[in-house]
Amino acid sequence: MKLNRRIFLGSGVAAAASLKAPALLAQGHGKPRVVVIGGGAGGATAARYLTKDSEGALDVTLVEPSRSYFTCFFSNLYLGGFKEIDDLGHTYGTLAAKYGINVVHDWAVDVDRDGKTVTLAGGASLPYDKLILSPGIDFVDGAVGGWSLAAQNAMPHAYKGGSQTELLRAQVDAMPEGGVFAMVAPPNPYRCPPGPYERVSMIAHRLKAANPTAKIIVADPKGKFSKQSLFEEGWANHYPGMIDWVGEDFGGGEVSVDPAAMTVTIDGEETEVHACNVIPAMKAGRIAEMAGVTEGNWAPVNAADMSAKADPDVYVLGDAAQQGDMPKSGFSANSQAKVCANAVRGALTESRVFPAKFSNTCWSLIDANNGVKVGATYEATEEKIAKVDGFISEVGETSDVRRATYEESEGWYAGIVADMFS
Ligand SMILES: Cc1cc2nc3c(=O)[nH]c(=O)nc-3n(C[C@H](O)[C@H](O)[C@H](O)COP(=O)(O)OP(=O)(O)OC[C@H]3O[C@@H](n4cnc5c(N)ncnc54)[C@H](O)[C@@H]3O)c2cc1C
């Protein structure tokens, strides 16, 4: 009887302990250490969920060079004049103060997977038990003839948040009356499939008010693009005659630029332009390549937990990951981060790991209160993150439906930045 009682009490204490203070599986040094590289949609969410749910059992360091993260999501609305730049900026103070995350503002410049350390530009070395990489994207060198990062002031990409977006808007505003805006669109796969076309819509909205005889040319290496029928309907209704989309079949992939002369040559025909947005082909943020977890341009991952195929102790989230069917979006990165945080916490503390489920919706604004969306749910298979089912806005929807879709997107933005930073 006494023995039973002791066993009962013992197991009860163990159960309480597993709720309050999870078992520590990394041996030889205090708490298990997780280093997260990149404080964007994937990395900030992962760091927050790791600490929020682990009750102090993990030592989490977030490495991010910027003190303010300017979201790319909704940056097109800034270009259209629907947002101010400050609406897009978010800081890391709450992650440090409320969750105890060690926020280090520096660049990660090397990863030693054998020694399990990350080296920072400032010289520090961070040991880890698990490493999460969410560095976003970099551009493929030489992808657009005549363009390099050295030309990003003359012809901005505006595909990383912040100053580039401000520069692009200033250049659109400075266009002469009846001037030409050109966009060089990227090949698949790339960050935010509808992003370039929402951007065209928002720049058209801005020009329609300030410079209505201006023209927009889009040189596109693709034969079709995300939500194409919805954008084409919107462009015909709101910006008739303003936008010329030159797709693959019309030589849109045969493009080069001259940033000094401000010309764009499409399929042999040179055009003088007054503002030009070059969005080159993309690849995983360079630190993923330096960590040796990429194959080609992206980092292949296991769908169940986002661990890299190259290393079970390294995880890759968001745009940098080659994961299967999900588009490269902030929503996807946030969704993947929660699955990853749950798996990493489980691996380090024996806490419960739930089956991986993912979701995504990409909203786009075509004109004031004219929002459209595409989305899907996903599951983890052995092979990849696989689409389960999806939905998309329809051509010809009423203005009430489009307004409701736009309002939904506003709610989503507030929700995701809270899920990352507060
Ligand atoms: C114009 C535009 C519109 C978009 N609209 C939407 C939208 O409406 N909805 C949506 O869901 N998504 C949208 N996106 C896509 C979304 O922004 C990205 O998919 C998302 O940010 C990816 O998250 P991430 O964590 O992979 O990368 P990011 O959010 O880019 O974060 C990467 C972070 O890593 C840091 N970093 C990089 N290298 C290092 C290093 N070596 N050391 C330390 N830190 C490093 C960077 O500073 C950066 O802060 C849009 C994108 C663009 C360009």
Side-chain angles (χ1 to χ4, degrees):
M1 183 68 186
K2 222 175 181 178
L3 192 62
N4 282 347
R5 184 170 166 74
R6 283 172 67 108
I7 289 167
F8 174 72
L9 277 178
S11 59
V13 169
S18 74
L19 281 175
K20 286 287 172 199
L24 306 184
L25 299 187
Q27 298 301 320
H29 51 66
K31 298 175 186 176
R33 292 172 295 209
V34 184
V35 173
V36 182
I37 298 180
T45 307
R48 182 171 171 274
Y49 272 77
L50 278 168
T51 48
K52 183 170 84 64
D53 294 340
S54 71
E55 315 224 357
L58 298 176
D59 182 343
V60 178
T61 298
L62 177 63
V63 183
E64 164 60 51
S66 305
R67 284 166 199 280
S68 292
Y69 174 80
F70 285 90
T71 60
C72 283
F73 26 109
F74 275 28
S75 64
N76 288 329
L77 277 64
Y78 163 78
L79 295 176
F82 295 93
K83 297 282 168 205
E84 290 310 318
I85 201 72
D86 287 346
D87 298 334
L88 307 179
H90 307 274
T91 54
Y92 296 91
T94 304
L95 293 184
K98 185 169 165 187
Y99 300 101
I101 295 167
N102 177 28
V103 180
V104 177
H105 290 299
D106 203 346
W107 287 96
V109 291
D110 198 14
V111 174
D112 173 358
R113 289 202 279 119
D114 293 331
K116 290 191 150 189
T117 53
V118 173
T119 306
L120 304 184
S125 178
L126 299 173
Y128 67 82
D129 296 299
K130 297 283 190 185
L131 173 65
I132 299 176
L133 301 175
S134 195
I137 51 124
D138 273 309
F139 301 113
V140 174
D141 286 341
V144 175
W147 192 92
S148 70
L149 270 186
Q152 69 169 1
N153 267 22
M155 294 187 170
H157 54 78
Y159 237 65
K160 298 187 182 192
S163 54
Q164 275 273 304
T165 322
E166 291 184 85
L167 179 63
L168 183 63
R169 187 165 104 172
Q171 291 180 353
V172 170
D173 287 351
M175 281 170 55
E177 197 181 322
V180 176
F181 170 84
M183 171 188 281
V184 178
N188 290 319
Y190 61 96
R191 153 177 285 188
C192 193
Y197 312 98
E198 179 185 53
R199 176 171 289 176
V200 165
S201 310
M202 290 293 93
I203 288 174
H205 171 83
R206 196 166 184 85
L207 289 172
K208 186 177 168 183
N211 190 352
T213 55
K215 295 276 179 250
I216 297 176
I217 303 172
V218 185
D220 204 327
K222 304 183 290 299
K224 56 187 174 124
F225 58 85
S226 172
K227 297 189 240 182
Q228 184 163 354
S229 56
L230 298 165
F231 282 114
E232 286 180 344
E233 175 200 45
W235 294 348
N237 288 342
H238 297 282
Y239 317 113
M242 188 182 255
I243 300 164
D244 184 11
W245 178 72
V246 184
E248 183 187 25
D249 293 346
F250 303 93
E254 302 302 313
V255 67
S256 63
V257 298
D258 183 338
M262 283 305 283
T263 57
V264 174
T265 303
I266 306 171
D267 202 20
E269 190 179 326
E270 185 180 275
T271 305
E272 187 187 347
V273 298
H274 304 96
C276 184
N277 176 207
V278 177
I279 311 175
M282 295 170 206
K283 61 180 185 177
R286 243 169 64 75
I287 192 70
E289 193 182 327
M290 292 162 83
V293 295
T294 53
E295 267 176 33
N297 286 339
W298 309 102
V301 295
N302 298 301
D305 60 0
M306 303 303 293
S307 60
K309 299 255 186 196
D311 187 333
D313 290 325
V314 177
Y315 300 72
V316 186
L317 305 178
D319 293 353
Q322 181 182 305
Q323 35 70 19
D325 296 347
M326 296 188 89
K328 296 184 186 300
S329 76
F331 198 138
S332 296
N334 172 262
S335 183
Q336 293 160 14
K338 293 178 200 176
V339 166
C340 174
N342 182 245
V344 167
R345 196 165 62 90
L348 294 175
T349 69
E350 283 184 330
S351 63
R352 187 163 166 208
V353 177
F354 297 94
K357 292 203 184 321
F358 308 86
S359 53
N360 177 66
T361 302
C362 287
W363 287 270
S364 303
L365 190 61
I366 294 175
D367 198 358
N369 292 313
N370 187 347
V372 291
K373 62 181 173 181
V374 59
T377 56
Y378 304 84
E379 65 184 7
T381 67
E382 278 295 309
E383 186 203 349
K384 63 177 183 175
I385 298 182
K387 183 173 171 180
V388 177
D389 55 28
F391 55 86
I392 185 165
S393 297
E394 289 171 17
V395 167
E397 286 172 337
T398 64
S399 55
D400 284 350
V401 170
R402 292 296 174 86
R403 178 189 292 269
T405 303
Y406 171 60
E407 285 169 359
E408 197 180 275
S409 75
E410 288 275 4
W412 167 78
Y413 186 89
I416 189 173
V417 295
D419 211 28
M420 292 164 65
F421 293 111
S422 62

